[in-house]
Amino acid sequence: MKTPKKTVISLYTEEERRRRDTTSWTLVQGVLAPIQFLVFLISLALVIRYLTTGQGYFVATASIVVKTAVLYTIMITGSIWEKVVFGRYLFARAFFWEDVFSMLVLALHTAYLGALWTGFLDAWGQMILALAAYLAYAINATQFVMKLRAARLQEQAIRDAAAATKTDMEFAR
């Protein structure tokens, strides 16, 4: 009895997968993502400390600036990765909505820097803006983690389907 064939739509074509797996930019993203998340957690704790105690404004501010610098770094290198893998710097089919939301994350972090440098918001307002940027970042990071998990599951399904086809062909002999 034959098993029904499932059609699996992959995030990557075979060529895109090959480029993804051979470019050093994949490793760069793999290193920067957890670093950014660690910086985010530390900075989030410092911002919350300032908001709850009124102490540590300078260190909280410095941590937000560092977090923003890491964000810009991962966005620039991620754009290069996307160009190498998909042939465009942003908004590739596979990561379109993640990139759209990344623009909001960048806008909020940049707005924080603008507020800090111009004094447009007081310290409390700056920290609230940073929290908004961090909430957007957390949502965006979740989007990427879910997309990468989906890619792994899809690639496993493709391997399973290929193995089943090979077995079916061998059995048919």
Side-chain angles (χ1 to χ4, degrees):
M1 179 173 159
K2 284 190 168 186
T3 58
K5 302 282 190 249
K6 292 181 185 176
T7 302
V8 178
I9 300 171
S10 179
L11 292 175
Y12 303 96
T13 65
E14 285 300 321
E15 182 59 24
E16 290 165 347
R17 186 176 296 109
R18 185 196 61 74
R19 288 191 300 260
R20 179 202 66 191
D21 293 346
T22 59
T23 181
S24 59
W25 293 108
T26 300
L27 177 61
V28 170
Q29 292 303 103
V31 170
L32 285 176
I35 289 171
Q36 180 178 218
F37 190 71
L38 179 62
V39 170
F40 158 72
L41 290 176
I42 292 167
S43 184
L44 178 63
L46 293 169
V47 168
I48 290 171
R49 175 179 172 246
Y50 173 77
L51 289 171
T52 58
T53 69
Q55 296 179 355
Y57 172 78
F58 177 79
V59 71
T61 299
S63 74
I64 300 165
V65 171
V66 168
K67 165 66 175 77
T68 303
V70 174
L71 173 69
Y72 280 125
T73 302
I74 202 167
M75 287 300 299
I76 291 167
T77 59
S79 293
I80 295 167
W81 175 87
E82 215 165 307
K83 175 68 171 168
V84 169
V85 174
F86 298 106
R88 56 187 313 158
Y89 285 105
L90 282 170
F91 308 113
R93 168 194 48 81
F95 291 96
F96 181 83
W97 290 109
E98 291 79 5
D99 287 350
V100 167
F101 207 82
S102 291
M103 295 303 108
L104 173 64
V105 174
L106 279 173
L108 288 168
H109 280 76
T110 303
Y112 169 83
L113 292 178
L116 175 65
W117 290 329
T118 64
F120 180 72
L121 296 174
D122 64 6
W124 182 265
Q126 291 170 14
M127 295 299 155
I128 296 301
L129 180 55
L131 284 180
Y134 285 6
L135 174 61
Y137 162 75
I139 293 168
N140 196 224
T142 300
Q143 284 180 301
F144 277 105
V145 168
M146 290 173 61
K147 183 64 63 105
L148 294 174
R149 175 155 168 66
R152 284 193 188 110
L153 292 173
Q154 288 175 348
E155 288 176 16
Q156 183 61 50
I158 290 168
R159 284 192 297 275
D160 291 349
T165 300
K166 182 179 177 187
T167 302
D168 286 348
M169 289 172 48
E170 289 173 355
F171 183 71
R173 287 188 213 173

